[in-house]
Amino acid sequence: MNDEEMDVQILHGLVKWFDPAKGFGFIVAEGHSGDILLHANVLRNYGQSSVADGAGITVKVQQTQRGVQAVEVVKIEPPAGSVFPLGEDTEHTTPEEIAILPMEPARVKWFDKGKGFGFANVFGRNEDVFVHVEVLRHSGFADLAAGEAICLRIVEGKRGRMAVQVLSWEAAVHL
């Protein structure tokens, strides 16, 4: 590697698109003219298997022979303007109220993006936790894989426990 490839910068931008099936996507950043490649392995090192289009993202990047590529994800923020509608299943919960809820370690049981929901199992508890696609998107994810380790903030709804925030396992450690 030459010196140019070793230079690492930190950039903040938005996820243009990310396709977990293809294993990559692109980021657009202010003050940067081209797209920045975001490979699935870099995202997985952060603890997520997907990221929502339009999510804010801070990454460490390097210039390579193929262009600028993300080498490490520093932070992911939910897409701007996304508001989680809890519906009539629970009382309205503000972002401040959500932030003080305990994080509960969980594994994804299954998630179907087409159906718009799935379930997770919290460590040490028997009941399933409902995960809605809008909660996922609001949390900065595009999809979840069965068996994926995550942390959830959960409320009691009329039909049982439901996630109001999803965090990657690794990102939750840094909070």
Side-chain angles (χ1 to χ4, degrees):
M1 277 190 189
N2 61 36
D3 289 333
E4 184 181 350
E5 289 178 328
M6 297 301 288
D7 289 340
V8 175
Q9 304 179 245
I10 294 180
L11 294 177
H12 181 75
L14 297 176
V15 175
K16 186 174 183 179
W17 62 267
F18 184 84
D19 186 336
K22 290 181 179 179
F24 69 93
F26 291 95
I27 300 166
V28 290
E30 289 181 27
H32 189 273
S33 60
D35 290 348
I36 300 162
L37 177 67
L38 175 61
H39 194 273
N41 289 337
V42 173
L43 194 56
R44 274 194 287 275
N45 288 342
Y46 181 71
Q48 290 187 207
S49 61
S50 68
V51 63
D53 296 351
I57 189 165
T58 303
V59 290
K60 291 182 180 178
V61 299
Q62 281 184 331
Q63 177 69 44
T64 69
Q65 291 178 346
R66 293 181 154 172
V68 179
Q69 296 184 11
V71 294
E72 183 182 343
V73 175
V74 177
K75 183 177 181 182
I76 295 176
E77 301 155 348
S82 61
V83 176
F84 172 59
L86 289 174
E88 66 245 9
D89 231 24
T90 184
E91 293 177 23
H92 182 69
T93 304
T94 66
E96 294 78 22
E97 291 170 327
I98 290 172
I100 61 171
L101 292 171
M103 289 185 288
E104 299 187 45
R107 286 225 181 259
V108 178
K109 184 174 181 178
W110 63 268
F111 190 84
D112 187 325
K113 191 174 176 180
K115 289 181 179 178
F117 67 93
F119 291 92
N121 300 117
V122 170
F123 180 73
R125 296 189 66 145
N126 292 327
E127 73 276 7
D128 291 340
V129 176
F130 179 77
V131 181
H132 192 274
V133 71
E134 286 302 315
V135 170
L136 203 62
R137 185 175 186 288
H138 182 73
S139 299
F141 289 76
D143 205 351
L144 291 174
E148 189 171 347
I150 54 175
C151 282
L152 300 174
R153 288 195 165 114
I154 300 168
V155 297
E156 289 291 336
K158 291 179 184 174
R159 293 178 229 144
R161 289 167 44 92
M162 56 189 285
V164 291
Q165 185 177 31
V166 179
L167 300 148
S168 72
W169 183 258
E170 286 80 358
V173 173
H174 302 299
L175 292 178

